[in-house]
Structures are given as C-alpha cells and as structure tokens.
Amino acid sequence: MILVAIVVCEVAFWVAIIAGLSARYLLRRPRLGASLLILAPVIDIVLLALVAIDLLGGGTASWHHGLAAIYIGISVAYGRRMVSWADVRFQQRFAGGPAPERLTGARYTLKCWMDALLTGLAVAIAAAILGAIILLVGDAERTAALSDFFALLGIIFAIDFVWALSYTIWPKRPASSSTVTAR
C-alpha cells in the first residue's frame, strides 16, 4: 500500500507543479498558479500521514516505508529547486523567457556544493523521519527494516559529497568558442 502511495504522491507532485505553471503561464493566472504550486508540500504531508497511520495501526515497516522517508526528505530539500527548474523551462517554452543558463567553472562547482548541502538536508530530514517512526512505533521487530536505511542515507550523502569534491579538484570547463584550424 505504501509503495502505491509513494507513486501516487510522486505523480501528484508533478501534476501540481505542471498545473501551477500552466495556470501561471498559459492561463495567465498567477494566483491560481501559486495556489496549485502550494499543493506540492501538502502532498508530502499526506504521504507522511499515510506512513504514520500504516505503522501506528499495527503495520510492519518495510523498505517501502524507508523509501517514503527518503522521498519526503528529497522533496522537502530539493522541492524549491525542482519547481524553479521546471519554471525556467516552462517560462522559456510558453512565455518567451530566456533559455536556462549552462553553468561551468566555479559557478558549476558552487552549484555542486549547494547540491551537497541540499542532499545533507534531505538526508537529515529522512533520518529524522525514520528515527521518529522507530520511536513512535516503539517495537524494534516491526521497525527493523528501517534501521538499514541510515547506512543508505550515509552512502547517498557521501556520493554527492565526492561529486562536489571532484568538481572542486577538476572543474567543468566552458566549451571553447574558438574554432580549430587545420594545417
């Protein structure tokens, strides 16, 4: 049931974003667009409530519950960036906005470090949710599957940290605008 709820919430998240941006740019109704965009965090709250109801109602935790915690952590930490990413592309396509900027060099490296910070926030949120679930349920046997997710969260953060570090050491260079002449 929780896996289905995660899929439904993910679809609903993007439907809310697309509907909000459509209202903003296609219908030229920015207030309606903002109202629809507000639904994205509400969807996370609904998923969290479903997980809590399932486990507090006697359910046994599975990897689905851990996935829900990770999904909520990423959604909360990266939600604003995901909406901004979609907004820039929607504005370009339907409202004559500028093309998204392609970052290189120090600006790309800074973005990688900001991503690492956001991933750290996502990991902290997911860990807090997992810890809260374990404490609320109060039955180690029913929540045993969730304990493995703490290591997974550490791996997720480590990968993003190494990614950012790699661009600090070997920065992404801008494409050369000069042409090579043949001799």
Side-chain angles (χ1 to χ4, degrees), residues 2-166:
I2 293 302
L3 186 58
V4 172
I6 294 169
V7 171
V8 168
C9 286
E10 176 68 9
V11 170
F13 177 85
W14 285 104
V15 166
I17 290 173
I18 291 169
L21 295 175
S22 295
R24 179 183 287 173
Y25 295 112
L26 298 178
L27 302 177
R28 308 237 187 264
R29 308 246 343 249
R31 284 189 182 160
L32 175 61
S35 298
L36 292 168
L37 289 171
I38 292 290
L39 291 176
V42 171
I43 292 164
D44 293 335
I45 293 168
V46 168
L47 179 59
L48 187 57
L50 290 172
V51 168
I53 289 168
D54 183 44
L55 292 176
L56 293 174
T60 300
S62 68
W63 67 271
H64 304 124
H65 296 87
L67 181 63
I70 292 173
Y71 169 80
I72 292 168
I74 290 171
S75 182
V76 170
Y78 279 95
R80 179 170 284 190
R81 177 166 301 163
M82 287 188 278
V83 171
S84 294
W85 177 89
D87 187 49
V88 166
R89 281 146 184 82
F90 218 91
Q91 187 178 25
Q92 177 196 11
R93 175 86 167 119
F94 298 109
E101 182 181 8
R102 297 195 83 151
L103 301 177
T104 57
R107 293 184 67 209
Y108 185 78
T109 302
L110 180 62
K111 180 194 173 297
C112 288
W113 282 109
M114 292 303 297
D115 285 348
L117 289 174
L118 287 176
T119 299
L121 177 62
V123 163
I125 291 168
I129 291 169
L130 291 169
I133 290 170
I134 291 169
L135 285 173
L136 281 173
V137 172
D139 184 348
E141 287 182 29
R142 288 186 31 230
T143 59
L146 300 180
S147 297
D148 295 339
F149 277 87
F150 292 105
L152 178 61
L153 292 173
I155 291 168
I156 290 169
F157 179 72
I159 289 170
D160 209 3
F161 182 83
V162 168
W163 182 267
L165 185 61
S166 74

